[in-house]
Amino acid sequence: MANNTKPTPEEIMEMLTISLASKPLPQDKLGEIAQALSESYFPVVGIDICTVGIKINRRWEGSVKDIDLSTFVDDRFGAIRSIEIFPEGILVPNGANIRSTHAL
């Protein structure tokens, strides 16, 4: 089962630290990104810094048709490059993983 609680700012910082161990990111953005992640409307379940920016995986409980994509807009992450929705299907009909990619 998925954990439906929002991570604390400390947990977000730990996820960022692990993800950033071998990838460059301006140090002055770290606190701002951690704060934005801790305020996420959807629970954050994964973070990856990649060549195009930052990928954020979130958990959604409910019907896919009810997802409000405007909740992904946050200037602290930069422009949205893509949003991918992965419905969980037959076993969990009202759940999905959502990955947004932002240009830091």
Side-chain angles (χ1 to χ4, degrees):
M1 281 284 140
N3 182 358
N4 295 327
T5 61
K6 283 189 173 184
T8 65
E10 291 80 19
E11 290 169 328
I12 294 288
M13 190 61 85
E14 181 179 346
M15 281 192 282
L16 274 173
T17 301
I18 291 168
S19 179
L20 296 173
S22 64
K23 299 172 184 163
L25 182 71
Q27 292 297 316
D28 60 333
K29 298 240 350 153
L30 209 53
E32 186 177 333
I33 291 169
Q35 184 65 35
L37 289 168
S38 71
E39 295 169 358
S40 176
Y41 181 77
F42 302 109
V44 175
V45 295
I47 303 164
D48 184 29
I49 305 301
C50 62
T51 57
V52 297
I54 183 171
K55 292 183 178 193
I56 305 165
N57 293 330
R58 297 174 175 99
R59 176 88 182 112
W60 167 254
E61 296 287 337
S63 175
V64 171
K65 67 180 178 147
D66 295 330
I67 297 171
D68 179 4
L69 296 179
S70 69
T71 58
F72 291 94
V73 177
D74 191 326
D75 292 335
R76 295 174 287 187
F77 299 129
I80 294 176
R81 290 185 175 266
S82 67
I83 295 177
E84 300 168 86
I85 301 172
F86 304 96
E88 293 181 338
I90 296 169
L91 294 177
V92 185
N94 286 325
N97 288 309
I98 304 168
R99 177 183 301 140
S100 60
T101 303
H102 302 264
L104 283 173

